[in-house]
Amino acid sequence: MSGFVEKPEPIQVPGLVHLHTGKVRELYQNEAGDLVMVASDRMSAYDWVLPTEIPDKGRVLTQLSLWWFDQLRDLAPNHVISTDLPEGAPADWAGRTLVCKSLRMVPVECVARGYLTGSGLLEYEESRTVCGLALPEGLVDGSELPAPIFTPATKAEVGEHDENVSYEEVARQVGAETAAQLRQETLAVYSRARDVARERGIILADTKFEFGFDGDTLVLADEVLTPDSSRFWPADQWQPGRAQPSYDKQYVRDWLTSAESGWDRRSEQPPPALPERVVEATRAKYVEAYERLTGLRWAS
């Protein structure tokens, strides 16, 4: 069992139809048929949406995504139409709302890895492969790969876990031409973002993208290159052979699996509320990632 500990009731706004409650985002459609994405402050971990929110998280994700979309504009078109607040929307939606093109989404999580960790490390330790791609001997947790790799995953519902799949399986599901486009775009965007982050003293270990079609054009959608969708490591603390310090929600994961939390992730019991110090430290990590990447001061 997993999913929402406490599923929120969506806010009703005149002129908007609520479509979906995701782990982090609420999705609406306006009268023009455009999608309205609202990033909440919810935090998910281990396939649960936790009962405790992280203040400013939704705004950080939205503003960082917008910054990255601008950095990538010449490389990949994106789905953003406007950041204007829909008429009648609550004031709290400011800074966390995007009006976007309605795309024909590709049901694949497009993951790019430049370093070995996470589920990729687990597979490598068993078979010396990641998503069926053979890798050299001698790699450890945090090792830089010889070249970035495309390791797709299935898109899971709330409460379910994304599953790594082979490139051949993606081609079977969406067609060879689309699969080739996804791989090419994913690796191109990752490589650009990796270089941008490196200039700012941050390692982009891996990240996931979502794409959709606007007619025949493949478009970058959802959030992009945030601490929720990426592993960011401080470059000056990178040390292969151990878990790396990070700017993502690993701090929350570590507390949830600690003796202090008292929670067994293998049980069917929902996770507990986060203590205030974990909330504050997690917010600080998200804000620091934003400031280091963009060079801008976060104004809450």
Side-chain angles (χ1 to χ4, degrees):
M1 179 181 175
S2 54
F4 287 92
V5 175
E6 301 168 7
K7 188 169 184 177
E9 284 295 323
I11 295 171
Q12 301 300 321
V13 177
L16 298 184
V17 176
H18 183 260
L19 300 177
H20 179 65
T21 294
K23 291 179 181 178
V24 173
R25 287 168 182 75
E26 300 288 346
L27 190 61
Y28 297 80
Q29 187 173 48
N30 64 19
E31 293 174 341
D34 305 319
L35 296 182
V36 178
M37 288 174 37
V38 185
S40 74
D41 291 336
R42 295 192 291 267
M43 170 66 76
S44 66
Y46 297 120
D47 301 322
W48 283 95
V49 180
L50 306 181
T52 312
E53 295 189 339
I54 307 298
D56 284 332
K57 177 173 174 282
R59 289 188 178 89
V60 170
L61 297 183
T62 302
Q63 298 308 310
L64 187 54
S65 289
L66 286 168
W67 184 84
W68 277 114
F69 281 137
D70 192 53
Q71 304 301 307
L72 302 165
R73 190 173 301 278
D74 64 313
L75 196 60
N78 65 72
H79 66 159
V80 178
I81 296 173
S82 168
T83 58
D84 294 341
L85 206 58
E87 187 174 347
D92 182 63
W93 282 17
R96 63 175 77 240
T97 302
L98 297 178
V99 181
C100 305
K101 296 175 183 176
S102 182
L103 305 174
R104 179 167 52 87
M105 296 301 295
V106 182
V108 175
E109 293 276 4
C110 293
V111 180
R113 301 176 191 266
Y115 293 75
L116 185 65
T117 193
S119 63
L121 175 64
L122 295 177
E123 181 184 334
Y124 174 81
E125 289 176 340
E126 290 182 357
S127 62
R128 296 298 182 263
T129 64
V130 176
C131 286
L133 297 174
L135 293 176
E137 293 283 343
L139 301 181
V140 295
D141 192 356
S143 288
E144 184 173 9
L145 301 178
I149 57 175
F150 176 60
T151 59
T154 57
K155 177 71 173 166
E157 296 297 321
V158 175
E160 297 181 5
H161 191 66
D162 294 345
E163 295 290 340
N164 291 346
V165 294
S166 68
Y167 176 78
E168 289 73 23
E169 176 60 20
V170 172
R172 189 189 68 78
Q173 289 185 16
V174 303
E177 184 177 350
T178 297
Q181 278 187 279
L182 293 175
R183 180 168 61 184
Q184 180 179 348
E185 284 292 302
T186 296
L187 293 177
V189 173
Y190 170 80
S191 297
R192 167 74 63 82
R194 175 202 58 198
D195 293 346
V196 170
R198 185 176 288 161
E199 292 171 357
R200 290 154 171 79
I202 290 178
I203 289 172
L204 175 59
D206 56 42
T207 191
K208 63 180 179 180
F209 303 115
E210 292 193 37
F211 292 93
F213 280 98
D214 181 15
D216 294 329
T217 302
L218 192 65
V219 174
L220 194 55
D222 198 59
E223 66 177 312
V224 62
L225 296 157
T226 71
D228 266 18
S229 65
S230 314
R231 282 189 176 92
F232 293 118
W233 300 336
D236 60 358
Q237 297 179 54
W238 175 53
Q239 184 180 324
R242 62 169 173 85
Q244 311 299 317
S246 66
Y247 293 107
D248 57 21
K249 53 190 173 186
Q250 191 60 46
Y251 189 78
V252 170
R253 294 190 190 102
D254 289 346
W255 183 82
L256 286 172
T257 55
S258 71
E260 181 186 348
S261 80
W263 180 60
D264 181 0
R265 60 175 291 201
R266 295 163 296 184
S267 74
E268 294 189 355
Q269 294 301 312
L274 302 176
E276 186 59 33
R277 63 178 176 78
V278 174
V279 171
E280 291 175 357
T282 303
R283 179 190 178 277
K285 286 179 178 291
Y286 276 70
V287 169
E288 185 180 355
Y290 171 86
E291 291 184 339
R292 288 195 65 175
L293 286 165
T294 67
L296 302 172
R297 181 77 181 271
W298 177 254
S300 57

